[in-house]
Amino acid sequence: MSSSFIQPYLFFGGRCEEALEFYKTAIGAETQMLMRYSDSPDPMPPGMLPEGYESKVMHASFKVGSSVILASDGCGGEESKGFRAFSLSLALPDAAATDRVFSALAEGGSVNMPLGETFWSSRFGMLQDKFGMGWMITIDPGADPKYKNA
């Protein structure tokens, strides 16, 4: 199945637009598309959306490097209650970029493992951002001078 691929779809429980702006600043994300519930050509089924969600994000896509991530505010249900049991892994071109992005994503969040040297990378760390998204930040193994020839 050469045309198959997995694409993350993140639900932000009413904070999608805020998350897109945060990721734009923190990691250089570029919003490619944004559609609000009020823009839908078909009306939402009665009772599907919480009151006030008409202007929330029904569907968005944003690009980080060559990766495209999909996002939404969700419909206020279980899908919007945080991120569990996975993290997004972000490989950056050098130590300076790794340090800058780690600090930016950690703002308002919590650090699970501070940036440091590991046996596989000269810079690796884990955190949870202010939206509850888990991140693993590292130097791209192909660009890591210490491990490039390992």
Side-chain angles (χ1 to χ4, degrees), residues 65-114:
S66 61
S67 299
V68 175
I69 300 171
L70 305 176
S72 173
D73 277 314
C75 295
E78 286 298 314
E79 82 281 356
S80 299
K81 296 216 164 114
F83 302 99
R84 296 180 274 287
F86 77 95
S87 292
L88 296 178
S89 181
L90 181 58
L92 295 150
D94 56 46
T98 303
D99 292 347
R100 180 183 52 75
V101 166
F102 189 89
S103 293
L105 286 172
E107 190 175 318
S110 61
V111 173
N112 302 334
M113 178 181 177

Side-chain angles (χ1 to χ4, degrees), residues 13-111:
R15 298 179 70 194
C16 187
E17 200 161 3
E18 179 187 352
L20 293 172
E21 281 301 311
F22 176 71
Y23 296 142
K24 177 181 177 181
T25 303
I27 60 176
E30 181 182 325
T31 300
Q32 295 182 303
M33 181 272 200
L34 188 141
M35 179 181 196
R36 299 182 188 286
Y37 286 102
S38 59
D39 298 329
S40 176
D42 295 328
M44 300 305 292
M48 184 172 173
L49 290 178
E51 191 166 325
Y53 254 59
E54 298 78 18
S55 64
K56 296 292 184 182
V57 177
M58 179 178 177
H59 177 72
S61 65
F62 64 100
K63 193 169 185 176
V64 179
S66 61
S67 299
V68 175
I69 300 171
L70 305 176
S72 173
D73 277 314
C75 295
E78 286 298 314
E79 82 281 356
S80 299
K81 296 216 164 114
F83 302 99
R84 296 180 274 287
F86 77 95
S87 292
L88 296 178
S89 181
L90 181 58
L92 295 150
D94 56 46
T98 303
D99 292 347
R100 180 183 52 75
V101 166
F102 189 89
S103 293
L105 286 172
E107 190 175 318
S110 61
V111 173

